[in-house]
Amino acid sequence: MQAETRTLLRAAMGTYPATRALKDGSLRSDLLELDFAEVPVISRAFAPMVREARYDVSEMAIATFLQARACGKPLVLLPVVLAARFQQSALLCRADSDIHGPADLAGRRIGVRAYSQTTGMWLRGILAEDGGPAPDAIRWLTFEDAHVAEIQDPPWAERAAPGQDMLAMLRNGELDGVIVGNDVPDDPGLRTVYRNPEAAAEAFWQRHGIVPVNHMLCLRRELAEQRPELVAELLRLFAAAAEAAPPGPRGRAPMGRAALRPVIELALGYMTAQGMLPRPLTVDEVWDGLPANLG
């Protein structure tokens, strides 16, 4: 009897403790096989996924997905967290700066890779809660477009001239602060705007009871509609891979629609206040296309 052929899915995602068992082949499926694309910087997969549906299943920044959903892109979000962290250590200024906390940022020039960057989304919301200025009271300088082509920056953000380097601009005083990504530069000439990022993170945890989610998982809508058994198998695989990884300081990342509802609600609230969505979204709309009996 001929063995059943597994469905090959083109995939793009980073290597994390919660994905390692899938990427090294130690966790396998009888239904599907994940063909991982080589994407050294995983954020470079997001625009091709949104604009071209280049992959069957892809890691995706939560802010990018919510913008894509608001623009009607044929993607389905899976309730799987791939990357989550507290964000306060990603907001930097010069070590000799007169900025001593969120309240000092009004009118300042803050650089960020893109206004739509998820770390920036979380930080702008957190800053407002911590006594900092509203997003339109800061002069945002961006260096890239949003991953979703239809998304335009709000009027309080401007584009840097081509070829400019964000960290160089901070070091020479052209910027007052920057928001970086996961890799914080090891530079004694820079420091965090939050004097005690760990204490600020704890305060956020006490307010909201969540760790901000940066990246989740999405797939092509056509695949979700035509092959729901593959969606169920992906959820099973990623749950097993996450279970095989050690828990973080706040436990394992939430999985499932109900567990992720507080994260999605807070992200939607922050993005609405920051002019990041072309239209309002409900939590139910966010999960549109995910089979009702899954997640």
Side-chain angles (χ1 to χ4, degrees):
M1 183 176 177
Q2 186 177 5
E4 185 178 349
T5 302
R6 295 188 295 165
T7 299
L8 186 67
L9 299 181
R10 182 75 165 156
M13 64 192 68
T15 302
Y16 312 106
T19 63
R20 189 165 287 115
L22 287 166
K23 297 197 76 173
D24 67 15
S26 58
L27 184 61
R28 293 171 56 84
S29 167
D30 293 334
L31 292 180
L32 61 85
E33 179 182 354
L34 294 173
D35 176 22
F36 291 101
E38 289 294 330
V39 186
V41 179
I42 194 58
S43 62
R44 298 304 177 196
F46 301 163
M49 183 63 175
V50 170
R51 301 182 186 197
E52 309 164 21
R54 182 176 296 181
Y55 311 102
D56 295 307
V57 57
S58 176
E59 184 170 342
M60 183 62 65
I62 187 171
T64 296
F65 180 85
L66 294 175
Q67 290 180 326
R69 173 46 46 87
C71 291
K73 300 299 180 181
L75 301 175
V76 172
L77 186 67
L78 296 186
V80 173
V81 174
L82 297 184
R85 64 177 183 270
F86 293 109
Q87 313 289 327
Q88 287 83 350
S89 62
L91 179 60
L92 306 178
C93 61
R94 285 174 29 154
D96 60 359
S97 173
D98 62 351
I99 295 173
H100 301 294
D104 296 328
L105 294 177
R108 302 294 185 130
R109 300 156 300 174
I110 306 297
V112 63
R113 179 182 57 78
Y115 190 81
S116 59
Q117 183 180 343
T118 295
T119 299
M121 176 272 288
W122 285 121
L123 272 168
R124 285 188 293 267
I126 293 165
L127 287 170
E129 293 179 352
D130 287 341
D136 61 358
I138 292 174
R139 297 170 56 193
W140 298 99
L141 192 71
T142 67
F143 295 77
E144 293 181 12
D145 291 333
H147 297 305
V148 183
E150 294 87 344
I151 295 296
Q152 301 296 314
D153 287 348
W156 51 86
E158 62 183 281
R159 183 58 50 87
Q164 289 189 295
D165 178 84
M166 186 172 73
L167 286 175
M169 294 179 72
L170 175 62
R171 293 184 179 106
N172 67 26
E174 293 177 87
L175 290 171
D176 300 300
V178 298
I179 293 174
V180 296
N182 194 41
D183 297 321
V184 178
D186 183 13
D187 184 339
L190 306 178
R191 62 171 171 82
T192 56
V193 167
Y194 281 93
R195 289 294 191 175
N196 189 334
E198 293 77 17
E202 176 63 25
F204 177 89
W205 173 263
Q206 293 299 323
R207 285 196 303 270
H208 297 292
I210 66 169
V211 177
V213 169
N214 283 66
H215 296 175
M216 293 179 66
L217 196 66
C218 73
L219 73 161
R220 294 189 297 109
R221 189 182 189 99
E222 181 183 22
L223 182 65
E225 291 175 345
Q226 296 181 0
R227 300 292 304 276
E229 76 279 8
L230 296 182
V231 180
E233 182 68 351
L234 284 168
L235 291 174
R236 184 193 71 79
L237 286 170
F238 279 91
E243 192 65 28
R250 300 288 179 174
R252 298 193 186 281
M255 187 168 185
R257 288 185 243 212
L260 281 162
R261 188 178 186 91
V263 174
I264 300 296
E265 287 181 333
L266 190 59
L268 288 174
Y270 281 179
M271 291 178 72
T272 299
Q274 296 169 31
M276 294 180 67
L277 292 173
R279 67 174 182 87
L281 279 179
T282 67
V283 176
D284 289 341
E285 282 183 277
V286 171
W287 300 115
D288 185 50
L290 182 65
N293 62 326
L294 297 178

